[in-house]
Amino acid sequence: MNIFDISGRAMSAQLTRMNTTASNLANARTTYSSAAEAYRALKPVFRTASAADGIATVDVEKVVKSNTEPKMRHDPTNPLADADGNVWDAGVDEAAELIDMIETARQYQNNVQVMQTAKSLILDTVRMGK
């Protein structure tokens, strides 16, 4: 693995994290007729990817549903309401998702900067050899 592999894999992992966060936010204010049907937030699970020489980066192992339970709300006018007039809102913490999105964007940008710096250093080294 070289610096471009390391940063590229980290960027790919952050892209997966951003996509799950976007999906969570898109489904945050949806309602369902039962708790079983209700959307639950998705979270990526990362794992360390190591090379034989001790260099490591990150990969997405899987994407799992979070434990955040849907919230029951009394809304008898909603067409999805059950016999008691209850609906369930998606199990998504919008504030936490927005914070996660900001953190993900910053980490992605950090990896872009690493790649730009490495590219610049390589080009400067090549120019010195001329």
Side-chain angles (χ1 to χ4, degrees):
M1 270 193 279
N2 61 40
I3 189 68
F4 297 106
D5 292 331
I6 294 168
S7 287
R9 288 175 124 177
M11 289 170 65
S12 178
Q14 292 306 323
L15 185 59
T16 300
R17 185 177 174 196
M18 183 67 79
N19 285 337
T20 58
T21 302
S23 178
N24 294 341
L25 287 171
N27 288 287
R29 295 192 179 190
T30 54
T31 55
Y32 299 88
S33 58
S34 72
E37 294 174 1
Y39 181 86
R40 285 169 175 76
L42 300 174
K43 299 292 178 188
V45 176
F46 299 117
R47 68 176 166 81
T48 302
S50 304
D53 52 4
I55 297 174
T57 186
V58 65
D59 283 329
V60 176
E61 185 174 337
K62 59 186 171 181
V63 176
V64 297
K65 289 183 180 181
S66 76
N67 295 334
T68 306
E69 291 296 320
K71 297 171 190 89
M72 186 175 68
R73 180 172 47 91
H74 188 69
D75 185 3
T77 62
N78 190 312
L80 295 174
D82 63 10
D84 298 325
N86 296 320
V87 293
W88 282 261
D89 292 327
V92 176
D93 182 352
E94 289 179 82
E97 294 298 329
L98 289 171
I99 291 167
D100 201 30
M101 184 174 275
I102 291 167
E103 181 181 325
T104 303
R106 286 180 180 164
Q107 290 182 9
Y108 188 92
Q109 182 59 38
N110 288 343
N111 281 293
V112 168
Q113 188 63 45
V114 166
M115 292 182 92
Q116 288 174 339
T117 301
K119 177 184 168 188
S120 176
L121 291 171
I122 290 170
L123 290 174
D124 289 346
T125 303
V126 168
R127 282 189 206 116
M128 287 173 51
K130 287 185 177 181

